[in-house]
Amino acid sequence: MTKPVIGFIGLGLMGGNMVENLQKRGFELVVMDLNKDAVKAVIDRGNAREATSPKELAAASDIVMLCLTTSDVVEKLVYGDNGILAGIKEGAVLIDFGTSIPASTRKIGADLAAKGAAMLDAPLGRTPAHATDGLLNIMVGGDKATFEKVKPVLEEQGENIFYLGALGNGHVTKLVNNFMGMTTVCTMSQAFAVADRAGVDRQQLFDIMSTGPSNSPFMGFCKNYAVDGVSDLGFSLNNANKDLGYFLKMAEDLGTRAEIAEGTSHNLQAAVDAGMGNGNVPEIFDYFLKLAK
């Protein structure tokens, strides 16, 4: 069976590695990114070319993949002049691998369906290193027949593929997951800071907490920074802050309120406002430590 042509927009650390993996597996790529060095790296590997507009990329692709930063960016690429919606082929599939607002995803999906195309939301778990080897976790929402159609391609990109039902459910799940994870990191980082103020040794606190049910990989990341000064959770405060904002918007759209998320969001926003946004999330410990002093 002939492999589908894949259009890919967003060649950052995650997206660039995903494209490298697809190239190693023999797919033809049409790509776009503002970073021309990233585009050149893809083209130099072969069997790839650069599109001059999202419309051109969509018209040349059987599957359009996005790995972008925000819902606003996704909407601009879909709806803008010479956008994806203007060029996408009947029967083509758009896959959004980013973390987006579910209501936005569902709107785009409906507009694509009106043109005979389909959409899946497929946010990612794991790291860019996993992307290079095709070992991501992928959470997929959308029409089941569309999912089955592109599943062989997703299986080239992910070790664990989770089908979650209706369009938008992938983004819902990712936002819930990130709410849980980032709240955990903020809580543990603040625990280290308050313990420090109270005169309790941070290493001893970790030794005690890690022997009980609070132990988790996230605790390890927090300890690595608060105790050892090693920042090794590759997820920025800026990204965490954005995702918590999306989680709160989702809760609002659902007619509910998430007060714990509001607290996490307040702390993340304060750390970003303090100029820490490019740091990894456990570095919020430094913000809490200043408060504790």
Side-chain angles (χ1 to χ4, degrees), residues 186-206:
C186 287
T187 300
M188 291 181 170
S189 296
Q190 190 164 56
F192 280 116
V194 172
D196 185 88
R197 181 179 179 88
V200 172
D201 181 80
R202 300 175 206 168
Q203 178 67 57
Q204 286 186 312
L205 178 66
F206 173 75

Side-chain angles (χ1 to χ4, degrees), residues 56-171:
E56 178 192 325
L57 180 142
S61 305
D62 301 305
I63 302 174
V64 177
M65 298 181 175
L66 308 179
C67 194
L68 301 165
T69 52
T70 68
S71 282
D72 284 345
V73 172
V74 171
E75 289 191 5
K76 286 175 183 176
L77 287 169
V78 171
Y79 294 113
D81 294 339
N82 292 314
I84 292 168
L85 190 62
I88 199 160
K89 300 186 295 188
E90 184 174 353
V93 180
L94 173 67
I95 305 177
D96 181 6
F97 287 117
T99 302
S100 298
I101 299 170
S104 173
T105 298
R106 295 184 184 112
K107 179 182 183 302
I108 293 170
D111 291 336
L112 288 169
K115 292 203 64 173
M119 181 176 186
L120 298 174
D121 56 317
L124 308 169
R126 295 187 168 171
T127 68
H130 291 101
T132 305
D133 297 325
L135 297 174
L136 293 165
N137 291 334
I138 306 179
M139 298 158 261
V140 187
D143 173 70
K144 184 65 182 293
T146 302
F147 168 71
E148 293 295 341
K149 176 181 176 180
V150 303
K151 186 179 178 183
V153 179
L154 293 175
E155 288 176 335
E156 301 271 24
Q157 298 170 288
E159 180 179 25
N160 301 300
I161 314 295
F162 304 95
Y163 178 67
L164 298 166
L167 183 66
N169 284 1
H171 285 144

Side-chain angles (χ1 to χ4, degrees), residues 177-287:
N177 180 73
N178 283 15
F179 155 64
M180 288 285 293
M182 297 308 100
T183 297
T184 300
V185 172
C186 287
T187 300
M188 291 181 170
S189 296
Q190 190 164 56
F192 280 116
V194 172
D196 185 88
R197 181 179 179 88
V200 172
D201 181 80
R202 300 175 206 168
Q203 178 67 57
Q204 286 186 312
L205 178 66
F206 173 75
D207 291 342
I208 292 165
M209 290 198 301
S210 63
T211 62
S214 294
N215 193 25
S216 70
F218 278 126
M219 179 181 283
F221 287 122
C222 292
K223 177 264 183 185
N224 290 347
Y225 187 72
V227 177
D228 303 323
V230 176
S231 186
D232 56 352
L233 174 57
F235 194 70
S236 74
L237 281 157
N238 280 330
N239 282 334
N241 187 43
K242 183 263 291 185
D243 288 358
L244 262 291
Y246 283 4
F247 181 86
L248 289 172
K249 178 65 170 67
M250 179 178 73
E252 179 184 334
D253 290 343
L254 292 169
T256 189
R257 182 180 176 188
E259 293 184 66
I260 292 174
E262 289 172 9
T264 302
S265 181
H266 170 80
N267 289 321
L268 290 167
Q269 184 63 58
V272 169
D273 290 343
M276 302 173 63
N278 291 329
N280 290 327
V281 184
E283 294 175 38
I284 200 170
F285 167 76
D286 293 332
Y287 170 76

